[in-house]
Structure formats: C-alpha cells, structure tokens
Amino acid sequence: MARTDGDRCPGVLAVHQAADGGLARVRVPGGRLTATQLDVLRLAAAELGDGRLELTSRGNVQIRGLQADGPRDLSDRLFAAGLLPSIAHERVRNILASPLSGLDQQSRYDVLPVATALDLALCDRPALADLPGRFLFALDDGRGDLAEQAADVAVRALDERTALLSLGTRGVRVEWNVVPELMLAAAEAFLEVRDQEWRIAEVARGEELVLERLGLRATEGLPAETARVAAGVHGTALVVTVPLGSLTQEQAAALVGVGDEVRITPWRSVVVPAGSTGLEEVGLVITPDSVWEGVTACAGQPGCAKALADVRADATRLVSGMARVGRMHWSGCERRCGKPGAAFVDVLAVGNGYLVDGERL
Ligand code: SF4
C-alpha cells in the first residue's frame, strides 16, 4: 500500500504544531526514566510548555504548548540528560518492554537489559534512522502484557534461554543472545521490502518477506493469553494509574521523590517501588478498582483545533467519584482519536453537550 502522505510522527526535533503550540514526543525506550530524567522533563514542561507531562500508549512522554524557541531549548536539556542519544534516530527508538520485568514472579526473563542493548545497537546503525516513526519493537517478559500492542517485531520470553520472535501471526524460537541482532535485521529487511508503508503488516506478504530475508520460518502459534497490568502492588513494584495519562507538576514531583527510577507503561500508568507514599494525596491512583483505570480521552480543547469541548477537563469533573465503568473514551469530535481497540463507552462532544453511546448525556 503506497502512501501519499508523509510520516508526520512527532519527535523532539520534528515538533507537531497543535492549536495550543508545539507538541514534542520524547521517546523512552523500555519506558525507563531515572528520577533525575523525570525531573528534567517535569521542569522542561513547566518552563517551556503547559506544565503537564502526557504519557502515551507506547510508554513515551509528550510535552505540549511549546513556544517557537521551545524545541531547541528542550532538545538541549534532553541531550544533557541522556534522553537524546542520537539526533538521527530520535523518532525511531520505539521500544516497549514489559514494565514489571524482573520485579515480580510472572517475569520469566528480565528483558530490560535486552531493550537497552537493542536501543544502543539501533542508534549505531545509520540506515535504521530511516524507519518510520510508527515502527515498533516489543520485548515481553513472558506474561503477555504487550500482546495487544501489535508490534512490528516482537519477542516473548519462554524461559531464561529462549524467546519467541514474531512479526505478526506466528513465531520462531530463538536464543536471547541473538535477539537484538535479529530484531534489527528484521527492521533492515522491512526497509528493503517496503515501498512507503509504515508497518510490516501494511506490506503485502510483509511478514513472510522479512522472515525469508532473515533465513527464518515462523511455525509456532503465538500464546493466546494476554495480561494487562492493573494498578496496585506486584512483587517489589507499585503500579500507579495516572488519570487520563496526564501528570501535573505536583504529581510528577511526587514520582521523582519516591525512588531512583520510574517506568512508564503503555497503559498510562507508571511503576515505582512498592511502599512508595504520598501519591494518592496528589491525585494518583494505586488501587485496581478505580474508574480511571479504563478512562481515556483525546487531546480536545485547547490542544486540537477540531475539538468541540475541553474533554479532559469535562471528563475529570464528571468521572471523578463514579464507579468503575470498564473502558470509556471521551472525544472532542467524531474522529475519536486514541479510542481503545476493544469495546468502550463512547462519550462524544457535539458542541452543546455530549452523546454517550449515541444518547444525549
Ligand atoms: S478526536 Fe477530534 S477533537 Fe479529539 S484530538 Fe482527534 S481531531 Fe481533535
């Protein structure tokens, strides 16, 4: 499928111009930030943007509301903090890793060192800077929590020695020591076989063509089980839900203060050490039954020119105090950006109020 539109996936240098100013997306491979790096992002949001840190569905961080000279200042700060190791590769460091890897009993293998090795090797290959900004690598520690992410190149731990490598529908057993090399070889092969497609799944027979170039045949079915990680204590970690994935200054500062490292999940939550305190007091959620576990919203006003309402403010006002409703998505217009893949309660702004699953609120 040839594309006529360009790859406009935002980064730190290729900032997207939104209605409320520049929007920068900072890639966080493996979702790992030191407390110092999180504080650098927090201060940058306060001094250059609108003060908030947005968590994305790929475990990255966005800063909105940047003024004209904001991106340059931001990139200088990120470079100094080790968050921009390669200018050329900044938009292609899309590497997800199971956020609880190595922290609880369900983790069959700690994939975070593999994520780090993959990131270093990726930045070391100039040709891979041409990957589309949407191309995704995923490293699952065996629990199946990343299965819904539909990564282009995924591995899932089977045990300490082996993993299942897959590019879509079937997998092939490989040893961990060759995983980074194979994942990058798959990305290079994709660049060879694609026209202007952004994902392997968009290329006709893409999975087969890429595997052929690697000299591999995927014959194993993928494990059916998936496990989304809920808020609460898991082994030595505490998963904390961030309402609407948007951290205030106070919330980000509280997270900076609880440990040496914070892990960003793809579910708009963060992982901190078990026993961390002072988080509920600033509006973060540490229990699994909160309504916020399933509520998402698009950017809405003032970030999007198409929005008919400030959906985030309205959701915050109306959802707080409700019982859990499963998945619910608030949209500022009929495009419904960021809607969940599975069934959800549809809250749609229509200019003079909202429709909920088509009925007037
Ligand atoms: S759903 Fe509409 S209002 Fe919301 S971000 Fe997308 S285009 Fe903008």
Side-chain angles (χ1 to χ4, degrees), residues 64-98:
R64 308 189 69 101
L66 292 168
Q67 300 307 310
D69 55 351
R72 179 167 194 98
D73 195 343
L74 177 63
S75 58
D76 288 346
R77 293 177 188 219
L78 297 182
F79 180 77
L83 288 166
L84 198 52
S86 167
I87 301 279
H89 295 79
E90 68 118 345
R91 293 191 313 152
V92 305
R93 299 169 65 225
N94 297 306
I95 301 172
L96 280 175
S98 294

Side-chain angles (χ1 to χ4, degrees), residues 298-301 303-309 311 329-338:
C298 77
Q301 292 175 349
C304 177
K306 294 191 173 67
L308 298 173
V311 289
H329 187 69
W330 289 63
S331 306
C333 80
E334 291 192 352
R335 288 181 70 175
R336 295 179 174 83
C337 299

Side-chain angles (χ1 to χ4, degrees), residues 62-150:
Q62 290 182 168
I63 297 177
R64 308 189 69 101
L66 292 168
Q67 300 307 310
D69 55 351
R72 179 167 194 98
D73 195 343
L74 177 63
S75 58
D76 288 346
R77 293 177 188 219
L78 297 182
F79 180 77
L83 288 166
L84 198 52
S86 167
I87 301 279
H89 295 79
E90 68 118 345
R91 293 191 313 152
V92 305
R93 299 169 65 225
N94 297 306
I95 301 172
L96 280 175
S98 294
L100 289 175
S101 183
L103 298 178
D104 72 353
Q105 295 286 339
Q106 287 189 55
S107 186
R108 288 187 197 159
Y109 185 74
D110 186 0
V111 293
L112 285 175
V114 189
T116 302
L118 178 65
D119 182 34
L120 286 171
L122 172 69
C123 291
D124 213 26
R125 297 196 188 189
L128 289 178
D130 289 340
L131 281 173
R134 287 168 176 74
F135 194 90
L136 182 64
F137 300 95
L139 294 144
D140 187 319
D141 71 351
R143 77 186 70 219
D145 56 345
L146 302 183
E148 284 183 9
Q149 303 296 323

